[in-house]
Structures are given as structure tokens and as C-alpha cells.
Amino acid sequence: MPPHSPDIDEPAGDPAARRTAARGPRPKKLATIARHGRLKRSNPVATGLKILASTLAVALVSGGIVAGIALWDVAATVKPGVALVDAQGETVTDLPAIGAYPGGVNLLIVGSDSRAGQDPVFGDAEEETGNLNDVTMLVHISEDHSNATVVSFPRDMFVSIPSCPDPTGGSFDSMSRQKINTSLSYGGLACTALTVSQLTGLEIPFAAEVQFSGVMAMSTALGGVTVCVADPIEDEYTNTFLSAGEHTLEGYEALQFLRTRHGVGDGSDLSRISNQQVFLSAMMQQVKSAETLTNPAILYSLAKAAAQNMQLSDSLTSLDTMIAIAMTLREVDLSNIAFVQYPNEAVEGGVEPIDDAATALFAALANDQPIQLTGATGAGAVANPADPVPADPAEGADAGADPAATAPPADATDTSAGAVVLPSSVQGQTADQRTCSRGRTLENQ
């Protein structure tokens, strides 16, 4: 495994020594005068309380100092932001507090395949100069923070790209039909955000771009993510070889697991999406565990990894905004976090949206309604073999019927659960589902 831990530059000199030299020698303390007489007898309870109070005071003070240094350190590593614009071309500014944001939170996460500034193991940055958004995910958190949905957009899906601002001035022309993963190289993060906004009908005030090193750093900050592999994964392209069973992945291994497509499902990008959802659900289960949410070292490491390795929109460079968004997710139950794939169908050279299913999905998100999935997990994932097999469908039911045929319209909800039932063409899983990667060996490629 190649090294992936970033080097840490220590500041020159000893800050404590410099401060001492600047102040000069300290004045000597006055000698304590001993007074004779009867001393009060010590009360063990009072003494214990005093010790406890003193200990708490020291802990609070030192904790505050550490927190202050940590926040300063993270703030110092945040890269300059990217200005986002809305559909009218107006810059997104003056955002209200997350808890009061109307219509919920929409955060776009873009994974770039650029080799610029990355480890040489990923290729020559001079020769492989592409900058495609191979991973495009929209995170929607409802206004009441009761549910969240993460939508993955297939990289080879044909969409229209709107006119995007040129960072050097002016704007780029719109395009009627291009693969969505060209939007990043065409007009940067702001263009990808506009493209997804036009496609979904949702305003996107927050966006972040992450490269290979960022994925490695964040998985390492978590101490690794344990994933389940149902069948052996063999992929010579990403050098990913995993036997059936559980594997704890971090750093380079975690990144290559997320990048593999030849080694999962049918070898397509769609299989890679469902394989990524196996990782994401396992990660959410881990992040939501008490050990993670109450461990300041892990939380700080995650914030530092994000700040160092992500290109953020201007709206996300504020620490309180980043923390507020993270805090909203902490309150969402795992069963109410859904990972879905944008509904699509195959066409020559790629895939294209299934408009009816997409309309149902994004109408639910626009109205902050929870969703109920009826589709499969996707070609790259299967239910955990260790879990009990679900009961057969009720006698007399048509097991082969398409759930989409009986799904309610987009604005209808399941009154028993309050959720919008989506067509089966919307594939995915919830964060509490235990799924495994469906591996693919070399002999089947």
C-alpha cells in the first residue's frame, strides 16, 4: 500500500520558549508565612468535592484551549471557496442558519478524477489532465431534520448543461446533451451544481469537491470502515482483491474499493454506485455509533481531513455552517437515511433519465417527504447473507408484478408511514440495511 498520510510541518522554534524570553524572568514568589494555631479538621466529603471541582475546572479550561486550537487549525486549512449561483445567475450569499433553512438542506458532493496534486500511484498529473466528476451525489436533509436522502447520479447519464459562469469572466454556453460527468471540467464546481439543480428542480446552496486524497484521509480519520463482501472482488485496474467476508478498509484500500467497477456486479458504473452505497451505509452505521459521535479526536480528524482535502463553496467555508450540517444528520435515524440511484435506463453510449420516476423522487424531496423504496439494491450489492431470509410474499400476490405499476402518484403518500412510495426503477437502500458487495472475479470479466 503506498503511503497516504499527509506530512505535518512543525512550526520553527519553541513557542513556549519564545514567550518566556519575551516576558523576561518571572518575579520570585513571596515566602509563605507559617501561622501557629489549631487547624480545622478536614472533611473528607468537602475535600472530595473540592478536588472534583478543581479537576473539572482544569478539564474545562484545557478542553476549551484544545477546542480553540483545533478550530483555528481547521479554519487555517480551509481552501478559498467557490462562488455558487442560482438559476437566475445570482450569487448565493447570506444564508440563514441551517435549522431555519426553508425546504431543508441541499448539499452537493462531487468526486473528481483529477490527478493534480495527487499521489503518483494514480497516474501522471501532466498526462492525465482530465477533471471529470466521476462521483456526483446530492445530500438532501428535510427541514425538520427527520429524514435525509443521498442521490447518486450515474457518471454516463446524458443531461442538458445550462450556461455556467466562467471563473475568468463571462459565461459558458449551454449544451443540450452531454454526460453529466463533463460538467466539472466544463465550468468547475459551480457548473456541476447548476446542472444538478436544473435536473432536479432543487436549489443547491452548498457544494464540495473532493479528490482521491480526501477520500483516503477521511476513511483513515474514521479508523477504517468495515464492509461486507458476499463474493470475491477481483479488479486489476484498481488492484482490489478481497475475499468473501468482512474487511475493514481505510486510506488507499478504501478509495480503491469505492473506485472499483470491474470487480463488482456486472462491471458497470451503475454497479459501482450500489457498491459505494454498501460502503456509505456501513460508514453511516459506524459514524452514528456512540463511540464516534462522542469521540472529539475522531470528529476533529474528520473536520481536518475535510478542510484540507476539499474544495468548498463559499457558503461552506464557515466552520459553524459545516458543524451545523453535521449536527442535523446526527439526529436522523438510520432507517430514515436513504441512498438512491438516479432512475435511469440504458441508451447507446450511456444512460438517460427515467423522467416519471425522477419526478416522483424529487417532488418528494422538494416537499420534504420521506421516501419508501420498492426497487432493488442495484447490481453491485446484495442483502447480507448472514441476515434472516424475508418471508415469501402473501399468498395470492403477484410476485412478478412491477411495484411501479401500483405505486401511488408523486404527490400521494403511504398514510401508515407518511412516506412517498417510489417506483421500482429508483434503486438503493436505507442506511440501516446490512448489505454486501456482489463481487466479480477475473474469469467473469
Side-chain angles (χ1 to χ4, degrees):
M1 181 187 301
H4 54 265
S5 298
D7 294 331
I8 300 175
D9 296 326
E10 296 294 342
D14 183 352
R18 289 199 299 269
R19 287 194 296 270
T20 301
R23 286 196 300 263
R26 292 183 178 178
K28 295 182 178 179
K29 291 184 179 180
L30 295 176
T32 303
I33 301 175
R35 297 182 182 273
H36 298 281
R38 179 177 293 180
L39 297 176
K40 291 184 178 180
R41 299 184 68 181
S42 174
N43 183 325
V45 176
T47 302
L49 290 175
K50 289 177 182 178
I51 294 173
L52 176 61
S54 300
T55 304
L56 288 174
V58 172
L60 289 172
V61 172
S62 61
I65 293 173
V66 170
I69 294 173
L71 289 175
W72 175 85
D73 193 20
V74 172
T77 59
V78 173
K79 300 178 182 179
V82 174
L84 300 185
V85 296
D86 59 22
Q88 289 71 45
E90 300 293 330
T91 302
V92 178
T93 57
D94 300 327
L95 296 169
I98 293 298
Y101 191 77
V105 176
N106 294 321
L107 165 64
L108 184 71
I109 300 176
V110 172
S112 167
D113 72 348
S114 172
R115 271 63 172 175
Q118 303 300 295
D119 193 293
V121 71
F122 299 117
D124 189 335
E126 296 297 326
E127 294 183 4
E128 301 184 51
T129 56
N131 186 28
L132 302 174
N133 44 304
D134 272 355
V135 175
T136 305
M137 296 189 299
L138 178 62
V139 181
H140 172 82
I141 307 172
S142 65
E143 186 174 6
D144 63 0
H145 306 159
S146 65
N147 62 85
T149 304
V150 181
V151 183
S152 293
F153 298 80
R155 53 160 288 167
D156 294 324
M157 186 167 69
F158 290 105
V159 300
S160 62
I161 297 179
S163 175
C164 296
D166 183 343
T168 62
S171 60
F172 297 111
D173 293 335
S174 61
M175 295 184 287
S176 60
R177 183 178 170 83
Q178 292 289 333
K179 288 185 177 179
I180 193 171
N181 74 328
T182 63
S183 60
L184 188 65
S185 59
Y186 184 59
L189 182 60
C191 190
T192 303
L194 270 178
T195 301
V196 173
S197 179
Q198 175 178 271
L199 184 64
T200 62
L202 302 175
E203 292 292 339
I204 301 175
F206 306 106
E209 176 186 343
V210 61
Q211 290 178 273
F212 296 149
S213 59
V215 177
M216 293 194 301
M218 297 190 76
S219 63
T220 300
L222 280 171
V225 174
T226 301
V227 298
C228 168
V229 176
D231 312 292
I233 295 175
E234 298 179 357
D235 183 2
E236 294 178 322
Y237 293 88
T238 59
N239 196 31
T240 302
F241 293 87
L242 298 173
S243 60
E246 289 193 339
H247 298 268
T248 299
L249 307 176
E250 66 174 279
Y252 181 77
E253 287 184 334
L255 172 67
Q256 298 302 71
F257 176 84
L258 291 167
R259 292 181 66 204
T260 183
R261 65 178 178 85
H262 296 280
V264 293
D266 58 8
S268 68
D269 177 59
L270 302 181
S271 291
R272 175 165 55 183
I273 287 177
S274 51
N275 184 60
Q276 290 170 348
Q277 291 174 347
V278 170
F279 184 94
L280 291 172
S281 61
M283 183 182 71
M284 284 303 301
Q285 292 168 25
Q286 184 170 320
V287 168
K288 294 272 286 182
S289 70
E291 292 79 6
T292 298
L293 292 177
T294 59
N295 190 322
I298 294 178
L299 295 177
Y300 168 66
S301 296
L302 282 170
K304 183 71 179 284
Q308 284 183 322
N309 296 285
M310 282 188 170
Q311 175 71 63
L312 306 172
S313 61
D314 287 340
S315 52
L316 267 183
T317 55
S318 167
L319 285 173
D320 56 352
T321 301
M322 285 193 285
I323 293 170
I325 291 178
M327 294 297 285
T328 61
L329 275 174
R330 189 176 71 170
E331 303 303 321
V332 184
D333 189 85
L334 288 173
S335 62
N336 292 327
I337 300 176
F339 297 104
V340 304
Q341 184 180 128
Y342 190 102
N344 65 87
E345 58 188 356
V347 295
E348 185 177 355
V351 298
E352 65 181 11
I354 299 178
D355 292 332
D356 291 346
T359 298
L361 169 62
F362 292 103
L365 300 190
N367 293 322
D368 277 335
Q369 296 172 299
I371 60 174
Q372 179 180 329
L373 298 173
T374 61
T377 56
V382 294
N384 192 314
D387 290 344
V389 178
D392 292 333
E395 186 177 353
D398 183 1
D402 180 2
T406 56
D411 60 349
T413 60
D414 179 351
T415 55
S416 62
V420 174
V421 181
L422 296 177
S424 60
S425 54
V426 183
Q427 298 185 341
Q429 67 171 89
T430 54
D432 66 334
Q433 283 183 262
R434 284 163 33 93
T435 53
C436 301
S437 299
R438 175 180 284 160
R440 186 171 182 246
T441 60
L442 293 177
E443 64 181 22
N444 294 321
Q445 296 176 25

